[in-house]
Amino acid sequence: MALRSKQQTLAAPISCSGTGVHSGKEATLTIKPAPENHGIRFFRTDLPGTQGIPALFSRVVDTSLATVIGENGIIVSTIEHLMASFAGMGIDNARVELDNYEMPIMDGSAAVFSQKIKEAGIIVQAAPRSHFIVTHPIEIADGDKFVGVYPDEDFRITCTIEFPNPLIGRQTISILLDDDSFLTKIAPARTFGFLHEVEFMKQMGLGRGGSLESAVVVSGDSIINEEGLRFPDEFVRHKLLDCIGDFSLIGMPIRGHIKTIKSGHLFNHHFITEFFKNRRCWETMTPSES
């Protein structure tokens, strides 16, 4: 798949409303087209006069339950599903407006965001689209957690998860990321949790917006959701979705193959930090330069 040589934005604004999965607060999200070299920026419309927060790893302030970015005391929480949609659908520039601090969880996947982007349409802009070209491997490991990136002609992600649960076990998925594969194979995969964890989070005042409409809930060897799974391996597909969102915070598309094993938001963030420490292992260029 040839890398896009030009930046892209939405052809028209899109909007949706829903509940924050952790806060339980209602929020309205509006995404507007943005000019070249604007990048993805989040604006809190409930806090007039505040500056936009760039969607970059350097602005990440918390990864305990979700990916949270912040600046000057202003935060936007749970951005990973929307960021995955931007990366998966090829959106480089967008103004994201939110009237609360946490993104609406919708159905627990990236399907709503991605489908709305598709329906709005995409505009190719004149400015060139730069890429990180991986030239040498970069790897980090901590116990059984692992993230690495390797040279490749395209952008691929291979994700492996493992849970001591008979419904999940060890699952691996590998994808060459493009608009169609993301929209149909990854975006619909929902976040998931275990019933005992959900009950504990509720007791701790967390997960206030979680429900069977916004997550797959596992109890023992059963799925509580009446409709069951959307994919036999929906669990690993969703973890790959999270990875796409987290790695998009590098700031530019990658030409390389990312491999993760039992990683999460925090370890993905550690990897991005390591990525920028290893300047000799990558270079930046546009497809026309290469």
Side-chain angles (χ1 to χ4, degrees), residues 267-282:
F267 204 62
N268 290 342
H269 183 66
H270 287 335
F271 173 78
I272 296 175
T273 302
E274 194 67 22
F275 181 89
F276 282 103
K277 288 180 181 178
N278 285 268
R279 179 66 181 82
R280 63 177 183 80
C281 295
W282 50 264

Side-chain angles (χ1 to χ4, degrees), residues 124-138:
V124 179
Q125 300 173 294
R129 189 186 200 223
S130 297
H131 296 75
F132 285 112
I133 311 298
V134 177
T135 56
H136 297 86
I138 303 171

Side-chain angles (χ1 to χ4, degrees), residues 48-60:
T50 55
Q51 300 297 310
I53 306 172
L56 297 171
F57 89 103
S58 59
R59 302 311 197 277
V60 172

